[in-house]
Amino acid sequence: MFARGLKRKCVGHEEDVEGALAGLKTVSSYSLQRQSLLDMSLVKLQLCHMLVEPNLCRSVLIANTVRQIQEEMTQDGTWRAVAPQAAGRAPLDRLVSTEILCRAAWEQEGAHPAPGLGNGHTQGPVSDLCPVTSAQAPRHPQSSVWEMDGPRENRGSFHKSLDQIFETLETKNPSCMEELFSDVDSPYYDLDTVLTGMMAAARPGPCEGLAGLAAATPGPSSSCKSDLGELDHVVEILVET
Amino acid sequence: VVADIISTVEFNHTGELLATGDKGGRVVIFQREQEVSGEGSWRVLHKNQVHRRGEYNVYSTFQSHEPEFDYLKSLEIEEKINKIRWLPQQNAAYFLLSTNDKTVKLWKVSERDKRPEGYNLKDEEGRLRDPATITTLRVPVLRPMDLMVEATPRRVFANAHTYHINSISVNSDYETYMSADDLRINLWNFEITNQSFNIVDIKPANMEELTEVITAAEFHPHHCNTFVYSSSKGTIRLCDMRASALCDRHTKFFEEPEDPSNRSFFSEIISSISDVKFSHSGRYIMTRDYLTVKVWDLNMENRPIETYQVHDYLRSKLCSLYENDCIFDKFECVWNGSDSVIMTGSYNNFFRMFDRNTKRDVTLEASRENSKPRAILKPRKVCVGGKRRKDEISVDSLDFSKKILHTAWHPSENIIAVAATNNLYIFQDKVN
């Protein structure tokens, strides 16, 4: 799914980074999958915000799921403050994204969402579902997990995969699209295993019936493009939906 | 056709009529073929035993709700019929309540088999006659005509719900009923449309603190002061209207403690109750959550007395089902007339029945191939892994777009109605 079996190199400083990474490998899989679930949930909340009359029960359940994940990440210490220049807004001990989304989705009685929290900017990243906008604004709660990889590297590979995506979209070549998104399915299979508490199978069976409904193609490849960072995965979800 | 998707199914109190509502706002009422005395109307199956030919035919069709537009919020209001509930019959006409997300309507369905003829001022086509041409007067008489069934809206109960109505329930006093949305429950008198009493309100002062919504509500079948409502957190509250005007404090609170070994990020979502139904006896309530059906004794609040697994093989697929939104599907559940069997739907057009006494269960399929008239339904089985036997279907082959959310059971006989997307299936049990 994600990069496995990183080779240790002889060069000094890299070894430390690799060592740290290797040590975290066992937990990072769960963290990354948990992150995927969080991203998926946030997208769902935004989508139902855009619908005509959002189903309140569904919104509440998704928001509660987001809250649970954020609480767990706070306890883990993986939920970190974002650099001020990147966010430049609300205090960080609040679960910001959930609140903004809740207000936007639920305050149907008021004509407009509350202006107070700089909503335009906060909602900007995802509400338009425009890949360019969402790519450029760092999603501040999520960036914590990726921070240790080095922001520069991420951005490089991030832009690279964005280009790939846009290229694919322009050429409208379905097979390219499938190839690009073919990895998206496998994370979710693993998510099924890990996040629903089933420890048994190392490799879950293919869920074609379900995947057929959910994603473009059921056709998981077991390896992942190693140069696709986790942020790219986030963008893939946004673009896919 | 999307508008034909059936969204609710309900027998009336005698089982003579079966009503369906659909996404296009239409109501279709079926009537059971009446028994007619005389030769040829009875079908003899065994010697000394006769059975009536109880087939259901279309009786009336009408447009109950139309799409509306809320100009204040710039939102469309769907015309989809969420629920239909019959009133007990008190005269020759039939009455039912039908509701969409915002408005409840009381419909009168009546038969007309006579027509007045011989008007003085109108001719046969209904055109006005010139009074100067009338030389004699006559008394109009009622003449028989072909049976006509007409539905007329008698009451419209509007503008009482900010959120989407999910349930309506007729009280046993037959004078009042309740309507429940995500956050509030209102009590209505059938005669009064411009006013309703708010009896439950769980809206928090600050909407950001909202973590729980009302998912279903129902009156007790005999005690007109008692009702229950279920929540998205898997709890049921029983309320007594005699205790206070606003029933925010429950009389009883039903909740099963969580199983820590099964805990996941999806635990809350799958615990959300999609339907709650009193037994006919009034002693039990049945709840449906995503994976199970539970029976509760009203006298025991800390756990259900029975739990039935509907499709536990989906437990390992919850993340995919969350992704494609299937995890939010709201399945209903029903009791049979004697409260001995319960039924609920599943995916792949499967529906399940559980016998509470024998503890046996069966999975059946509502599909065209299996439903030739008089055909006997074959039990189905889902294979969970390992070797798949010949007639079994594997979990990964299930069609999640074919979901059976709405079913109904005749009040006294073993006749069931199953809605599979835009098809209605009526099955009858061939027992003596």
Side-chain angles (χ1 to χ4, degrees):
Chain A
M1 185 184 79
F2 293 95
R4 289 196 183 105
L6 286 172
K7 283 197 180 146
R8 284 174 158 268
K9 290 183 187 154
C10 290
V11 185
H13 71 282
E14 280 186 25
E15 206 173 71
D16 291 341
V17 174
E18 305 255 3
L21 280 174
L24 288 160
K25 215 183 348 167
T26 43
V27 293
S28 72
S29 181
Y30 173 80
S31 300
L32 291 166
Q33 288 164 344
R34 179 177 61 186
Q35 190 62 57
S36 298
L37 184 64
L38 177 64
D39 302 333
M40 195 198 323
S41 304
L42 291 170
V43 169
K44 278 183 181 299
L45 279 175
Q46 284 300 326
L47 278 180
C48 63
H49 159 61
M50 289 163 67
L51 286 176
V52 173
E53 267 246 73
N55 180 329
L56 188 61
C57 181
R58 180 177 171 273
S59 304
V60 167
L61 289 172
I62 297 172
N64 289 352
T65 308
V66 168
R67 229 178 252 120
Q68 273 182 62
I69 297 173
Q70 288 176 333
E71 275 168 19
E72 194 181 278
M73 288 173 81
T74 306
Q75 283 167 13
D76 282 352
T78 50
W79 186 271
R80 297 231 202 94
V82 65
Q85 66 268 18
R89 48 192 173 281
L92 305 155
D93 50 333
R94 291 200 307 176
L95 303 179
V96 178
S97 51
T98 312
E99 284 191 29
I100 301 293
L101 293 167
C102 291
R103 185 177 298 122
W106 299 340
E107 289 297 31
Q108 298 291 347
E109 289 155 19
H112 304 287
L117 279 165
N119 279 7
H121 183 35
T122 314
Q123 285 181 11
V126 270
S127 64
D128 298 337
L129 279 189
C130 168
V132 176
T133 317
S134 57
Q136 285 170 356
R139 312 262 313 279
H140 55 282
Q142 285 77 4
S143 59
S144 54
V145 178
W146 325 132
E147 269 170 31
M148 57 187 84
D149 290 353
R152 270 205 206 122
E153 284 169 30
N154 258 5
R155 238 173 258 138
S157 52
F158 176 69
H159 282 306
K160 179 184 172 190
S161 61
L162 258 185
D163 289 343
Q164 277 179 312
I165 293 169
F166 294 143
E167 206 183 297
T168 312
L169 291 172
E170 273 169 355
T171 58
K172 288 183 180 131
N173 186 336
S175 58
C176 284
M177 183 83 84
E178 287 167 22
E179 243 177 85
L180 191 66
F181 291 133
S182 63
D183 292 325
V184 179
D185 293 339
S186 38
Y188 294 152
Y189 297 148
D190 292 335
L191 266 172
D192 283 333
T193 314
V194 175
L195 293 176
T196 56
M198 305 282 285
M199 301 301 185
R203 184 99 176 85
C207 302
E208 268 135 39
L210 293 168
L213 273 186
T217 346
S221 59
S222 52
S223 70
C224 173
K225 298 185 176 95
S226 56
D227 53 355
L228 273 178
E230 290 79 3
L231 267 172
D232 308 334
H233 188 61
V234 168
V235 175
E236 279 182 285
I237 297 172
L238 292 171
V239 172
E240 183 190 39
T241 52
Chain B
V1 182
V2 172
D4 288 343
I5 294 176
I6 298 171
S7 48
T8 184
V9 189
E10 186 83 354
F11 280 99
N12 76 338
H13 292 260
T14 61
E16 182 205 349
L17 299 178
L18 175 67
T20 62
D22 67 23
K23 207 155 188 273
R26 263 187 325 237
V27 171
V28 179
I29 301 178
F30 298 85
Q31 185 186 44
R32 195 174 188 188
E33 219 174 276
Q34 308 286 10
E35 65 174 271
V36 176
S37 58
E39 219 174 343
S41 61
W42 297 96
R43 215 158 49 82
V44 179
L45 291 182
H46 296 278
K47 56 178 180 184
N48 303 328
Q49 278 177 343
V50 292
H51 292 257
R52 52 193 313 200
R53 297 178 55 203
E55 284 173 10
Y56 284 83
N57 303 310
V58 177
Y59 177 66
S60 173
T61 304
F62 57 93
Q63 187 74 31
S64 171
H65 287 70
E66 300 274 2
E68 286 173 55
F69 196 77
D70 182 336
Y71 291 96
L72 204 60
K73 300 179 196 172
S74 283
L75 294 170
E76 257 195 31
I77 299 171
E78 272 194 297
E79 67 275 28
K80 172 167 75 89
I81 308 294
N82 293 336
K83 285 278 157 39
I84 289 175
R85 290 289 183 262
W86 291 92
L87 271 68
Q89 198 175 1
Q90 289 171 313
N91 53 36
Y94 304 104
F95 287 88
L96 61 81
L97 286 175
S98 72
T99 186
N100 68 348
D101 284 338
K102 298 285 186 179
T103 304
V104 185
K105 294 187 185 180
L106 175 68
W107 286 89
K108 175 180 175 184
V109 182
S110 49
E111 295 181 4
R112 191 195 287 267
D113 61 357
K114 295 182 193 50
R115 171 179 60 209
E117 284 177 17
Y119 282 109
N120 291 294
L121 296 173
K122 285 190 286 189
D123 65 17
E124 290 305 312
E125 275 87 49
R127 287 179 301 218
L128 289 173
R129 292 167 71 187
D130 179 3
T133 64
I134 299 171
T135 52
T136 58
L137 286 179
R138 56 190 173 167
V139 177
V141 292
L142 291 174
R143 293 252 154 75
M145 59 180 259
D146 289 338
L147 180 66
M148 193 172 75
V149 182
E150 49 185 15
T152 47
R154 301 298 293 175
R155 303 275 187 276
V156 177
F157 305 91
N159 303 320
H161 286 280
T162 308
Y163 303 96
H164 291 179
I165 297 174
N166 52 54
S167 312
I168 46 175
S169 180
V170 179
N171 205 347
S172 50
D173 63 7
Y174 305 153
E175 286 178 5
T176 57
Y177 76 93
M178 70 157 136
S179 55
D181 67 29
D182 296 311
L183 298 179
R184 298 191 178 102
I185 302 181
N186 294 330
L187 181 72
W188 301 85
N189 183 301
F190 280 110
E191 301 303 316
I192 301 168
T193 59
N194 59 359
Q195 206 180 325
S196 67
F197 286 107
N198 176 240
I199 53 176
V200 174
D201 188 339
I202 65 167
K203 179 173 188 247
N206 184 359
M207 276 297 270
E208 287 168 18
E209 290 162 9
L210 179 66
T211 57
E212 190 174 12
V213 301
I214 297 169
T215 52
E218 197 182 50
F219 268 117
H220 191 283
H222 313 309
H223 306 310
C224 56
N225 53 286
T226 304
F227 65 94
V228 292
Y229 69 92
S230 58
S231 85
S232 56
K233 285 199 171 168
T235 67
I236 307 105
R237 288 169 176 82
L238 184 134
C239 300
D240 187 331
M241 295 196 291
R242 294 170 301 191
S244 66
L246 185 61
C247 298
D248 272 356
R249 273 183 314 194
H250 47 262
T251 305
K252 295 196 186 200
F253 181 76
F254 299 84
E255 185 179 28
E256 185 173 24
E258 199 183 355
D259 176 6
S261 65
N262 261 338
R263 175 127 191 88
S264 76
F265 286 119
F266 305 109
S267 295
E268 185 183 312
I269 299 179
I270 63 169
S271 76
S272 173
I273 292 174
S274 51
D275 194 15
V276 65
K277 292 268 172 43
F278 273 101
S279 64
H280 292 91
S281 62
R283 289 179 51 198
Y284 306 103
I285 48 176
M286 166 169 54
T287 59
R288 174 70 155 99
D289 51 62
Y290 191 62
L291 298 178
T292 73
V293 185
K294 296 182 169 139
V295 177
W296 305 74
D297 186 317
L298 284 190
N299 297 318
M300 187 159 71
E301 300 170 52
N302 60 352
R303 61 177 175 82
I305 56 169
E306 293 153 34
T307 300
Y308 301 95
Q309 302 294 333
V310 181
H311 36 218
D312 200 57
Y313 45 79
L314 296 182
R315 197 177 285 273
S316 57
K317 313 286 182 199
L318 291 179
C319 189
S320 306
L321 294 165
Y322 178 73
E323 195 200 352
N324 63 23
D325 268 10
C326 281
I327 209 174
F328 301 108
D329 287 336
K330 291 189 191 281
F331 292 93
E332 292 169 9
C333 53
V334 290
W335 299 87
N336 75 338
S338 58
D339 298 336
S340 60
V341 183
I342 57 184
M343 173 169 70
T344 189
S346 177
Y347 294 104
N348 208 73
N349 280 347
F350 287 170
F351 58 100
R352 304 261 284 137
M353 287 191 201
F354 303 92
D355 188 316
R356 296 178 59 215
N357 300 324
T358 65
K359 299 303 179 198
R360 280 169 38 194
D361 62 85
V362 67
T363 304
L364 300 169
E365 182 177 358
S367 72
R368 283 192 199 269
E369 298 83 47
N370 302 348
S371 303
K372 311 279 186 309
R374 314 282 164 229
I376 296 187
L377 290 179
K378 201 176 55 167
R380 304 303 311 263
K381 192 143 163 51
V382 177
C383 155
V384 186
K387 287 213 164 98
R388 185 177 77 86
R389 292 204 191 89
K390 196 180 144 216
D391 278 340
E392 292 180 353
I393 181 167
S394 73
V395 182
D396 305 317
S397 310
L398 294 174
D399 188 341
F400 288 85
S401 66
K402 295 188 178 160
K403 45 194 98 178
I404 293 188
L405 306 172
H406 314 288
T407 60
W409 204 307
H410 189 286
S412 53
E413 297 184 37
N414 280 343
I415 302 173
I416 59 174
V418 176
T421 318
N422 48 4
N423 294 315
L424 180 72
Y425 294 84
I426 300 178
F427 300 113
Q428 200 162 347
D429 195 11
K430 276 211 174 92
V431 227
N432 329 346

